[in-house]
Amino acid sequence: MPDKRVLPYGSWPTPITSAVLVANAVGLADVAVDGQDVIWAEERPDEGGRTALVKRSEDGRLHELLAPDDNARTAVHEYGGGAWWADAGVVWFANWVDQRLYRRDPGTGRSVALTPAPKVPRGDRYADGALSPDRQTVVCVREHHPPDGRGPIDVRNEIVRLASNEPSTPEVLVTGPDFVSTPRLDPDGSELCWVEWDHPNMPWDGTRLLVRDLASGEQRLIAGGDRESVIQPQWQDDGSLTFISDRSGWWNLYRFDGAVEPLVEIEAEIGEPQWEFGQSRYARLGDGRVLFARTANGSDGLTIRLGDGGLVDLELPFTRVHNLSRYGDSSVVLIGATPTAESAVVRVSFGRGAALERVEALRPPRDLGELGVDADNISLPEVIDYPSADGRVAHAVLYRPRNRDYRGGDDELPPLLVHVHGGPTADVSPQLRLELQYLTSRGFAVIDVNYGGSSGYGRAYRELLNENWGVVDVEDSIAAALYLVERGDVDPRRLCVSGGSAGGYTTLACMARSDTPFGAGGDYFGVADLEAMTLETHKFDRRYLDRLVGANPQARATYRARSPIDHVDQLSRPLIVLQGLEDEVVPPNQATMIVDALRSNGVPVAYIAFEGEQHGFRLAANIRRAIDSELSFYAQVFGFELPPDEGIEPVAIERP
């Protein structure tokens, strides 16, 4: 290979452009098995962010299951998930445009609304359903927004039952708890299980798993409480009930058949935060073996539990795994990603014991080579631990600059982006994400931070953020940058921080410190005023801050102390703000108030508002504009040139 050309870090030409980011791109989710067929959801940026459903039949052919104007996406909890389910070729789905539940029958090729039109547009929303064993009814979650309601405070989340094959009025089965999820009928249809929880708990704080005899109405608590998070219950063929609980301090796997007993107890996370419906991190094979995903040391992997209880870790490349579903007696389908390949729908087949017979990509990842991206332009992730405040150890994934054709000068260090994930109860893993490679292939170093409060490291680490949001996350983000500066890995004069949602809040909180090391920041729909969020956000998140900050108004002083908008005098570094104008999670006024404050302070600021976008950007043109604008912003602030051939339009920066 010839010597690389020397160009300043940040200015390297790269094949990983914003056009490549969205070219033939899909977001894969919600895999299901229907007989010998496998069905999955594809979020398609080039179709306006529409979620399509694709079936792969046993002969390998692919079929579109929805009409082009159907969009299988639910707004329950605003985060959605679990928007569809299927049986014998029939699909039931919540349609984004009106949120009603539809049935699409391959025999007719039509989508028929099963639920009544609500009095408030999109006022009845459906998710997380299942078909009864006799196929006559459907049970699912309904989120009801009453026409005379006072906003989120009067929204009702219930479990309902309705006819599976014709329009009907849903029958309410469970009402009263603030939230419900995962309604599932046992193999003979006589018992219903579900998960419920109440404010101020989030589903990772404490939930309850209940079972009701539908004939007698008698119900019993199986597991859970205010300090136990129970998720992902599944009925098994023998009538037993399996579920995930963090009663040990880790989300592990349990079984109930008259009494609760552990199936898998390890110091790793089998579960994950229930931000969306439809999650599944384990699947039981026909002979009782269980394949499960587990997060340990910052990365996912797969393990099989044998019939005698023995555990075998599988030698597979996946570092992010979700949506496991049984296929036949000895196979599982799942979504898996690796450090060098985007997500794929994969079938894993077993022989005896832990013997792997076949690993087959049913829906392969994009062929990046066809888009001009080869392995020499991919920065491989390094999972690292680093010291933070008060002797704590924080975790992160580091990506170094890498480009096949270019390198920086011998006397130059690369700029650094500290990326802060949302949630905040979420995590990042060492999987291929082209939005990060977009930067590393240009000469940026990127550190993706799993700050205290992130999931994947057990309950104790997750709870580090309780009453400490705006403290621990900020300390760990700043510590990540200083750690790399101290090691001599990055340029201390070109540090920036960026994140979305809760990550946007942490970005703003980092920037609103007089001692911040960051010279620029990128805020994607972040929270500027914590107290306002408790009044303006949707029901699911409405009491989240009771745990993260404190109960309001008792903790009003803390809310103000930690709100970036109350420290505008310290906002002195350039910031770009990007916001969807239909965001119900972080309302647009959170963005405009911080932008107005920066303008008043005479601080350079760029603001881009996106019509038609909610909490996160789904349209291809908007995805491109957002990432190109953020790069253009850093280039202008730090003074490096962008490759002229890409045609990146310079973002307008308001300057004093």
Side-chain angles (χ1 to χ4, degrees):
M1 181 179 292
D3 290 341
K4 293 184 178 183
R5 181 181 172 187
V6 176
L7 277 180
Y9 286 107
S11 63
W12 301 344
T14 173
I16 306 176
T17 64
S18 64
V20 167
L21 257 63
V22 300
N24 304 317
V26 297
L28 296 175
D30 293 345
V31 175
V33 174
D34 183 15
Q36 297 299 308
D37 300 333
V38 178
I39 304 171
W40 59 84
E42 295 188 358
E43 179 188 318
R44 297 173 175 172
D46 60 358
E47 295 183 18
R50 182 178 82 96
T51 298
L53 300 182
V54 178
K55 179 180 76 174
R56 184 186 190 273
S57 55
E58 189 178 9
D59 60 11
R61 291 183 299 168
L62 300 181
H63 312 265
E64 293 279 339
L65 295 186
L66 301 183
D69 56 348
D70 286 337
N71 186 353
R73 181 183 172 201
T74 179
V76 178
H77 292 179
E78 299 299 335
Y79 299 112
W84 61 274
W85 49 97
D87 181 80
V90 178
V91 175
W92 293 262
F93 68 99
N95 206 344
W96 177 251
V97 66
D98 61 7
Q99 288 299 294
R100 296 168 71 186
L101 188 66
Y102 285 76
R103 172 190 168 114
R104 187 169 180 86
D105 193 317
T108 66
R110 294 187 301 112
S111 299
V112 177
L114 298 182
T115 56
K119 295 180 180 179
V120 175
R122 306 175 87 241
D124 284 335
R125 308 170 179 185
Y126 298 87
D128 204 15
L131 191 66
S132 63
D134 64 6
R135 295 181 167 86
Q136 297 304 301
T137 59
V138 162
V139 292
C140 62
V141 173
R142 180 180 67 182
E143 184 175 277
H144 176 63
H145 297 244
D148 55 352
R150 297 165 293 170
I153 193 172
D154 286 332
V155 170
R156 295 200 309 271
N157 294 74
E158 304 168 321
I159 294 172
V160 298
R161 177 168 56 187
L162 61 148
S164 66
N165 57 358
E166 61 184 2
S168 64
T169 299
E171 170 196 5
V172 176
L173 297 179
V174 178
T175 189
D178 287 329
F179 301 98
V180 290
S181 76
T182 334
R184 301 292 184 263
L185 292 162
D186 73 345
D188 65 11
S190 63
E191 291 192 314
L192 172 74
C193 78
W194 72 93
V195 172
E196 64 180 40
W197 67 98
D198 296 306
H199 280 144
N201 276 349
M202 300 297 282
W204 43 85
D205 294 321
T207 63
R208 303 178 295 274
L209 172 61
L210 291 98
V211 170
R212 178 186 297 173
D213 184 298
L214 293 176
S216 68
E218 180 183 349
Q219 65 186 46
R220 58 195 186 278
L221 176 70
I222 303 302
D226 282 342
R227 293 280 299 161
E228 180 185 359
S229 172
V230 178
I231 54 176
Q232 298 180 29
Q234 294 181 15
W235 291 104
Q236 303 303 328
D237 294 341
D238 61 4
S240 65
L241 186 62
T242 53
F243 59 91
I244 293 173
S245 164
D246 72 348
R247 59 178 57 191
S248 70
W250 299 86
W251 269 314
N252 282 180
L253 188 58
Y254 297 85
R255 177 177 182 267
F256 175 79
D257 190 8
V260 174
E261 59 181 3
L263 283 179
V264 179
E265 285 191 329
I266 55 177
E267 289 193 357
E269 298 278 48
I270 300 174
E272 58 189 346
Q274 188 178 293
W275 282 104
E276 297 181 348
F277 295 106
Q279 296 172 328
S280 175
R281 291 266 288 182
Y282 69 97
R284 186 179 182 185
L285 302 180
D287 61 3
R289 289 176 294 173
V290 180
L291 182 68
F292 62 90
R294 38 94 183 136
T295 306
N297 302 317
S299 181
D300 277 359
L302 283 165
T303 298
I304 189 166
R305 181 190 187 274
L306 304 177
D308 62 3
L311 304 178
V312 179
D313 293 339
L314 302 179
E315 296 295 325
L316 290 170
F318 306 116
T319 51
R320 191 65 160 186
V321 182
H322 55 99
N323 288 97
L324 280 72
S325 186
R326 173 179 160 185
Y327 183 97
D329 286 334
S330 58
S331 298
V332 171
V333 294
L334 54 87
I335 297 176
T338 78
T340 57
E342 295 176 307
S343 292
V345 178
V346 179
R347 181 166 58 205
V348 181
S349 301
F350 293 91
R352 292 187 176 184
L356 285 169
E357 279 195 345
R358 189 178 185 188
V359 179
E360 179 186 9
L362 304 180
R363 202 292 183 191
R366 281 189 296 176
D367 186 338
L368 297 181
E370 291 184 352
L371 298 173
V373 180
D374 61 30
D376 291 331
N377 285 307
I378 299 297
S379 176
L380 297 179
E382 304 171 35
V383 177
I384 65 170
D385 300 332
Y386 62 93
S388 189
D390 301 324
R392 286 186 290 102
V393 174
H395 312 284
V397 184
L398 174 63
Y399 300 84
R400 299 180 184 276
R402 189 179 188 192
N403 187 297
R404 179 187 61 194
D405 301 315
Y406 297 91
R407 67 177 179 87
D410 294 336
D411 58 350
E412 184 190 10
L413 291 172
L416 171 71
L417 174 73
V418 175
H419 182 261
V420 189
H421 67 69
T425 309
D427 73 320
V428 293
S429 60
Q431 69 184 93
L432 179 61
R433 292 163 56 204
L434 280 194
E435 65 269 26
L436 301 185
Q437 304 291 333
Y438 172 92
L439 292 172
T440 57
S441 62
R442 299 171 187 275
F444 274 77
V446 176
I447 188 165
D448 218 355
V449 179
N450 276 322
Y451 49 81
S454 301
S455 55
Y457 301 89
R459 188 177 187 112
Y461 192 77
R462 200 165 71 237
E463 290 185 341
L464 286 177
L465 214 56
N466 284 1
E467 298 189 355
N468 281 305
W469 195 31
V471 179
V472 168
D473 52 317
V474 171
E475 291 172 343
D476 289 358
S477 299
I478 291 174
L482 297 181
Y483 175 69
L484 296 179
V485 167
E486 207 170 286
R487 292 201 322 188
D489 290 351
V490 298
D491 186 347
R493 299 163 300 174
R494 295 189 292 175
L495 306 177
C496 44
V497 58
S498 177
S501 190
Y505 164 72
T506 302
T507 294
L508 294 175
C510 286
M511 299 294 285
R513 286 178 51 144
S514 59
D515 61 344
T516 185
F518 299 112
D523 165 32
Y524 285 72
F525 38 89
V527 179
D529 186 334
L530 293 175
E531 191 170 21
M533 276 293 292
T534 65
L535 304 174
E536 297 172 350
T537 194
H538 61 128
K539 180 183 177 182
F540 183 76
D541 280 340
R542 190 172 180 82
R543 299 286 300 278
Y544 194 9
L545 300 194
D546 283 28
R547 287 273 188 267
L548 298 177
V549 181
N552 199 31
Q554 297 92 321
R556 178 167 291 167
T558 304
Y559 277 77
R560 291 178 175 172
R562 304 220 191 126
S563 290
I565 199 64
D566 288 310
H567 299 279
V568 294
D569 57 318
Q570 296 182 42
L571 285 167
S572 60
R573 310 294 177 92
L575 185 74
I576 181 170
V577 179
L578 304 104
Q579 176 72 45
L581 293 180
E582 296 179 6
D583 195 335
E584 297 288 340
V585 178
V586 179
N589 68 317
Q590 291 278 330
T592 55
M593 69 174 70
I594 207 73
V595 170
D596 290 343
L598 290 163
R599 288 168 175 159
S600 298
N601 283 8
V603 177
V605 60
Y607 176 48
I608 304 176
F610 293 96
E611 296 277 358
E613 293 285 12
Q614 296 85 45
H615 197 61
F617 306 148
R618 301 171 69 94
L619 280 68
N622 294 342
I623 293 169
R624 293 192 62 186
R625 186 182 178 201
I627 198 166
D628 283 343
S629 295
E630 186 182 2
L631 176 65
S632 169
F633 184 79
Y634 298 144
Q636 293 179 60
V637 170
F638 293 128
F640 56 81
E641 299 292 328
L642 295 181
D645 293 343
E646 271 189 68
I648 295 176
E649 182 179 348
V651 68
I653 301 179
E654 301 177 37
R655 301 181 183 272

